[in-house]
């Protein structure tokens, strides 16, 4: 990526424009999180409900602390262990983060992404970058720059191409506002990894209506979904599938490999004019928690 592309991205962001950028999880649709008018454009382009807060990206913990009203010892431990990386820390925000970015709430999800291009952009920008996935609301997240171009086209001002995303599903979101940390969304860092650093954590698998402000992204009933009708099934239900003009995604890889390719596969099948997509559910085991969460929100039960 030429250096002048980074400089162009910074100039656009400081002017209140939108820039799509790569992370290790999915591509983000970026706007200056301190600029309410710029953040409003994210919601407009994505057709995203105002009740769904945005994750804000920062270069490192030192920047995060500038925009956190309080930064707990637990937050410090998790940032030291996993940043840059696919974990978002929900903390009390300062007023510099615009209220629209946090669905009107007093907390904000901050994370430092593990992608060299994103980190270079964030270090030079030196402020928080609101960055939900760069796709239409509820649809399949993008894991390549081409996915962003296909879906959003000229609605955004610049796309920084950093290649395919390495993790492929969104970050783990952890609330660290008090002494009872809780996972609000499973993701690229497992509960076991987190507990190895800070001890026991709660797991809150919320499902919010569109009318209710959420504490974290990814908590609405429908999310990550293809346009083609998609159905989930257990292996014991395979006999219920009619494969005529339909596609089947089998659970045929380890969790990390499956997660990295999931959105790519869903997007490809969505482009093939099938009447339905059937997805075999992976086992209900800790290693599959994040993938199962995405599939439950992206599909309907087969019966």
């Amino acid at each position: 990526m030429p250096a002048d592309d980074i400089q162009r991205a910074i100039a656009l962001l400081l002017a209140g424009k939108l820039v799509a950028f790569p992370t290790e999880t999915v591509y983000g649709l970026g706007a200056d999180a301190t600029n309410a008018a710029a953040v409003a454009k994210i919601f407009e382009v994505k057709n995203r409900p105002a009740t769904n807060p945005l994750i804000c990206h920062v270069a490192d913990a030192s920047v995060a602390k500038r925009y956190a009203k309080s930064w707990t010892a637990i937050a410090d431990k998790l940032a030291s262990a996993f940043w840059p990386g696919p974990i978002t820390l929900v903390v009390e925000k300062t007023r510099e983060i615009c209220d629209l970015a946090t669905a009107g709430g007093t907390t904000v999800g901050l994370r430092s992404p593990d992608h060299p291009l994103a980190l270079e952009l964030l270090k030079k920008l030196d402020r928080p970058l609101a960055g939900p996935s760069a796709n239409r609301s509820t649809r399949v997240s993008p894991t390549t720059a081409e996915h962003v171009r296909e879906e959003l086209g000229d609605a955004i001002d610049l796309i920084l191409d950093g290649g395919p995303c390495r993790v492929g599903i969104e970050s783990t979101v952890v609330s660290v506002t008090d002494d009872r940390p809780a996972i609000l969304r499973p993701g690229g860092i497992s509960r076991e990894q987190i507990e190895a650093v800070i001890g026991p954590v709660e797991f809150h698998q919320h499902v919010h209506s569109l009318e209710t402000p959420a504490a974290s992204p990814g908590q609405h009933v429908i999310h990550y979904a293809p346009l083609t009708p998609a159905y989930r099934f257990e292996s014991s239900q395979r006999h219920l599938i009619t494969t005529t003009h339909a596609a089947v995604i089998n659970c045929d890889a380890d969790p990390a490999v499956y997660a990295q390719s999931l959105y790519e596969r869903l997007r490809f099948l969505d482009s093939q004019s099938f009447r339905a997509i059937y997805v075999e559910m992976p086992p209900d085991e800790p290693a599959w928690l994040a993938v199962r969460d995405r599939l439950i929100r992206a599909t309907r039960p087969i019966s």
Side-chain angles (χ1 to χ4, degrees), residues 10 19-20 28 47 60 112 132 155 179 212 219 287 292:
I10 292 170
V19 173
N47 193 28
D60 53 35
S112 176
D179 292 332
T212 306
Q219 295 187 333
R292 286 179 61 89

Side-chain angles (χ1 to χ4, degrees), residues 33-34 56 67-68 93-102 108 110 128:
T34 69
C56 296
Y67 298 96
K93 78 177 187 75
T94 63
R95 60 186 178 183
E96 283 81 8
I97 303 278
C98 70
D99 290 341
L100 183 58
T102 62
V108 62
L110 300 174

Side-chain angles (χ1 to χ4, degrees), residues 228 241-248 269 273-278:
T228 305
I241 295 173
T242 303
T243 57
T244 306
H245 304 302
V248 179
L269 295 176
S273 301
F274 288 113
R275 68 169 175 81
I277 299 170
Y278 296 100

Side-chain angles (χ1 to χ4, degrees), residues 100-302:
L100 183 58
T102 62
T106 61
T107 62
V108 62
L110 300 174
R111 94 170 182 101
S112 176
D114 189 13
H115 191 289
L117 185 55
L119 287 174
E120 182 181 359
L121 174 65
L122 289 164
K123 287 174 182 175
K124 291 180 177 178
L125 185 66
D126 195 35
R127 64 179 64 192
L129 185 61
S133 57
N135 59 285
R136 304 293 179 185
S137 184
T138 78
R139 299 306 177 193
V140 181
S141 301
T143 55
T144 68
E146 185 58 31
H147 293 164
V148 181
R149 278 188 284 269
E150 289 170 355
E151 187 151 347
L152 299 181
D154 295 334
I156 52 180
D157 301 285
L158 178 66
I159 301 172
L160 296 176
D161 189 344
C165 297
R166 174 173 52 81
V167 175
I169 60 173
E170 294 80 2
S171 62
T172 305
V173 178
V174 185
S175 174
V176 292
T177 56
D178 55 37
D179 292 332
R180 299 184 305 279
I183 295 174
L184 305 182
R185 180 183 71 182
I189 299 294
S190 71
R191 183 178 187 172
E192 290 71 24
Q193 288 174 290
I194 293 168
E195 291 185 332
V197 174
I198 61 171
V201 297
E202 300 176 13
F203 176 53
H204 298 166
Q205 193 160 25
H206 294 292
V207 177
H208 281 276
S209 72
L210 296 179
E211 290 75 35
T212 306
S216 164
Q219 295 187 333
H220 291 138
V221 177
I222 300 174
H223 215 94
Y224 323 110
L227 290 169
T228 305
Y231 302 90
R232 60 184 179 271
F233 68 94
E234 303 294 339
S235 57
S236 62
Q237 297 176 303
R238 190 174 290 273
H239 65 284
L240 299 176
I241 295 173
T242 303
T243 57
T244 306
H245 304 302
V248 179
I249 297 178
N250 295 308
C251 185
D252 55 4
D254 70 63
V257 173
Y258 188 103
Q260 195 278 331
S261 64
L262 175 60
Y263 293 155
E264 174 81 33
R265 295 166 82 179
L266 285 174
R267 281 182 165 271
F268 173 75
L269 295 176
D270 206 17
S271 71
Q272 300 302 299
S273 301
F274 288 113
R275 68 169 175 81
I277 299 170
Y278 296 100
V279 185
E280 181 183 11
M281 286 296 285
D284 188 4
E285 299 172 354
W288 288 99
L289 181 63
V291 169
R292 286 179 61 89
D293 172 80
R294 303 311 188 269
L295 291 178
I296 287 170
R297 298 177 196 273
T299 63
R300 292 170 264 180
I302 196 171

Side-chain angles (χ1 to χ4, degrees), residues 58 60-80 83 89-92 108 110-111 176:
V58 293
D60 53 35
S62 67
V63 179
K65 291 174 184 178
R66 299 206 314 254
Y67 298 96
K69 196 171 183 179
S70 63
W71 186 261
T72 65
I74 292 173
D76 217 36
K77 287 180 180 179
L78 290 174
S80 296
W83 278 7
L89 306 180
V90 175
V91 299
E92 293 289 334
V108 62
L110 300 174
R111 94 170 182 101
V176 292

